[in-house]
Amino acid sequence: MQVDDADPTPGHAWLVGLAAWFVPGMGHLMLKKWLRGALMGGAVWVCFFLGLAMGGHMYDLANGQTTSSTLLQVPPMIANLGSGVLFVVCWLVGIGFGDDPVQAARVTYEYGNTFLLIAGLMNYLVMLDAFDIAAGRRD
Amino acid sequence: MTVFAALASVVFGAMTKDTPRERVLYGFKVFVEFIIFGLVLAWVLYFIPW
């Protein structure tokens, strides 16, 4: 079986991917894909802020417990982490992480949770798209 | 649900296909599929007793 040597991934592709994760849409803007960056990054930003506005809740591991239920927080935290600086800023400022029964009683609470999760997951896709473009694998 | 479908279809449409026209058509197709699937799933879950 003959295996062709794959072209090595350019170094700047990793930087573009990292920037795309950290600031949604930044990877495409660095590649001068203005419309793509605006659309895809804008969709992530809008999804995230709509999630916060609907009273959604983000997940972290700082609940002070060391039980197995803490492990259940890991997958949604990974999804939320996809939002990059949006997640980091909210975590530093303390927005969207509290366990507030009044917030949880809102009709749109679960919708907000979903929007926040999907914003992060969509940004992972956006990040991978920017990386592939920077690596020359797609146009 | 409609807003969610719109946001997701923008991302999916922008990522796939080659020409702008194909991207717009695919994004619209994904949007319609999200809506239809959401409505179908809602009705299925409505009749499930638990």
Side-chain angles (χ1 to χ4, degrees):
Chain A
M1 182 176 71
Q2 182 179 3
V3 176
D4 296 329
D5 291 329
D7 293 333
T9 303
H12 80 278
W14 297 100
L15 182 64
V16 166
L18 185 64
W21 164 74
F22 193 65
V23 180
M26 180 56 69
H28 289 89
L29 296 180
M30 286 172 65
L31 296 169
K32 296 184 174 37
K33 304 279 185 186
W34 311 113
L35 183 61
R36 207 154 165 164
L39 282 176
M40 296 170 79
V44 173
W45 281 79
V46 169
C47 195
F48 185 89
F49 283 112
L50 278 177
L52 281 183
M54 286 189 274
H57 171 268
M58 286 187 284
Y59 297 85
D60 63 0
L61 298 179
N63 58 3
Q65 299 177 0
T66 56
T67 62
S68 60
S69 64
T70 305
L71 289 176
L72 290 175
Q73 310 279 335
V74 174
M77 188 187 79
I78 292 171
N80 286 143
L81 265 173
S83 304
V85 70
L86 297 169
F87 177 90
V88 172
V89 168
C90 285
W91 182 72
L92 289 173
V93 176
I95 295 173
F97 286 92
D99 292 324
D100 181 8
V102 175
Q103 178 184 349
R106 287 179 62 176
V107 175
T108 57
Y109 176 69
E110 291 294 339
Y111 290 102
N113 286 349
T114 304
F115 270 66
L116 288 170
L117 292 169
I118 294 301
L121 293 174
M122 280 201 305
N123 198 40
Y124 283 131
L125 291 179
V126 174
M127 175 185 77
L128 290 173
D129 186 64
F131 178 83
D132 282 345
I133 294 172
R137 295 173 190 166
R138 60 193 313 174
D139 188 10
Chain B
M1 183 179 74
T2 307
V3 172
F4 177 84
L7 292 171
S9 63
V10 163
V11 174
F12 287 140
M15 279 183 63
T16 57
K17 306 301 178 186
D18 298 320
T19 66
R21 184 174 181 274
E22 286 177 341
R23 288 181 182 137
V24 170
L25 287 175
Y26 183 73
F28 182 71
K29 178 185 157 194
V30 168
F31 175 74
V32 171
E33 286 172 349
F34 263 107
I35 298 293
I36 290 174
F37 187 76
L39 290 172
V40 168
L41 188 62
W43 279 107
V44 168
L45 292 174
Y46 176 74
F47 289 106
I48 295 176
W50 62 86

